[in-house]
Amino acid sequence: MIRPDRLRALADALAKHSVMRLRDAAALLGVSEMTVRRDIAANPERFTYLGGYIVSTASVPNAAGYSLEQEQDHFAQAKAQASAHAAQLIVDNETIFIDCGTTLTTLARLIPAQVQVTVVCYSLNIAEILRRMPNVRMILLGGVYVPSSDSFAGDESLEMLRRMGINKAFISAGGVDSARGVTCWNFHEVAIKQAAMTSAVERYLVADTSKFGVVKAVRFSQVDEFDSIITENGLEPRERRA
């Protein structure tokens, strides 16, 4: 298969599955992993890597070129890399919770196409991604719409979360400080984050390293209430406080 045909086949595969491992791409194209690496390196405007996966550049903030709108968030690439590491923890037939915020939109996109999962969320930007994924059963928590975070808040949502069994909760934050705890911008998010964490078997804080040493308006947990912290550098297991 010549390079133009390989690139076309890889683009078609990513359009269907969103992500691919290097070895799977090599098997699909009938070439070595080194050849796939060279093809990707020669076409950075079309393909890139995130946490060991091949993805379309269009799915990754700030992956190619400069634009004024994208440059408003200098850490978009780090957020996407953290989410890519988190996506590797998702397995078949689980129920997971995905928090609101820009960090976790890539996590929603990178849910493996070959797994069947139930995803609980409460923000429109996450729901808009999930509703297009046939392998995802989405539970969108309702309530009063809050434009600042594109999310919902309400007592009914909290009661529903408290009755649910969640395998893994992926939580975002605006600040992470060892002394002052894990914080966010919006008061309405606190009860939802806490309810999801209480219902979850495993709790993961997903935050790029720019959040460390930062304190925002509202604390919703301490760092040691999480099983792991996931950054652009990977997963850091912790001794979780009961």
Side-chain angles (χ1 to χ4, degrees):
M1 187 183 294
I2 62 175
R3 176 175 284 184
D5 292 339
R6 293 198 302 269
L7 297 178
R8 192 178 305 110
L10 183 58
D12 289 344
L14 290 175
K16 292 178 182 177
H17 303 298
S18 299
V19 298
M20 290 190 74
R21 292 187 183 276
L22 178 62
R23 62 175 179 267
D24 296 332
L28 172 70
L29 303 174
V31 295
S32 68
E33 293 184 8
M34 183 59 68
T35 297
V36 177
R37 288 184 183 276
R38 284 197 293 263
D39 287 349
I40 292 171
N43 293 270
E45 75 286 356
R46 298 182 66 181
F47 309 108
T48 189
Y49 290 105
L50 271 182
Y53 291 99
I54 301 169
V55 299
S56 169
T57 298
S59 299
V60 183
N62 285 354
Y66 171 91
S67 75
L68 183 61
E69 181 179 356
Q70 291 176 337
E71 191 64 10
Q72 291 175 0
D73 186 353
H74 297 284
F75 304 104
Q77 180 72 10
K79 293 177 181 180
Q81 290 173 331
S83 281
H85 290 299
Q88 297 184 53
L89 299 173
I90 300 172
V91 300
D92 206 27
N93 296 316
E94 285 192 328
T95 297
I96 66 174
F97 174 84
I98 298 182
D99 204 357
C100 68
T102 57
T103 297
L104 295 179
T105 54
T106 299
L107 173 59
R109 292 191 184 96
L110 294 181
I111 293 174
Q114 68 271 21
V115 303
Q116 299 291 322
V117 290
T118 297
V119 182
V120 183
C121 64
Y122 65 109
S123 63
L124 287 182
N125 61 341
I126 300 293
E128 179 62 25
I129 296 166
L130 297 176
R131 73 179 184 87
R132 304 175 187 276
M133 305 177 73
N135 59 313
V136 171
R137 181 178 71 160
M138 178 177 66
I139 300 174
L140 177 60
L141 303 175
V144 177
Y145 177 64
V146 183
S148 62
S149 60
D150 202 23
S151 63
F152 296 91
D155 291 339
E156 296 84 358
S157 296
L158 296 177
E159 287 303 315
M160 187 173 185
L161 273 173
R162 289 167 184 150
R163 293 195 302 267
M164 296 187 70
I166 296 172
N167 298 101
K168 296 183 175 83
F170 296 99
I171 307 295
S172 62
V176 182
D177 186 89
S178 57
R180 297 173 180 83
V182 188
T183 53
C184 63
W185 285 100
N186 298 304
F187 284 85
H188 77 275
E189 296 176 22
V190 171
I192 297 176
K193 291 175 188 285
Q194 291 175 339
M197 291 174 64
T198 298
S199 297
V201 178
E202 300 173 25
R203 311 165 186 172
Y204 296 95
L205 177 61
V206 186
D208 67 272
T209 52
S210 72
K211 304 294 195 309
F212 285 72
V214 174
V215 178
K216 297 301 181 184
V218 198
R219 182 174 63 239
F220 63 87
S221 73
Q222 295 296 334
V223 174
D224 60 6
E225 292 177 36
F226 291 92
D227 295 278
S228 298
I229 297 177
I230 304 174
T231 71
E232 66 269 32
N233 299 319
L235 184 146
E236 176 194 333
R238 305 186 63 81
E239 186 74 26
R240 192 179 98 182
R241 186 178 67 188

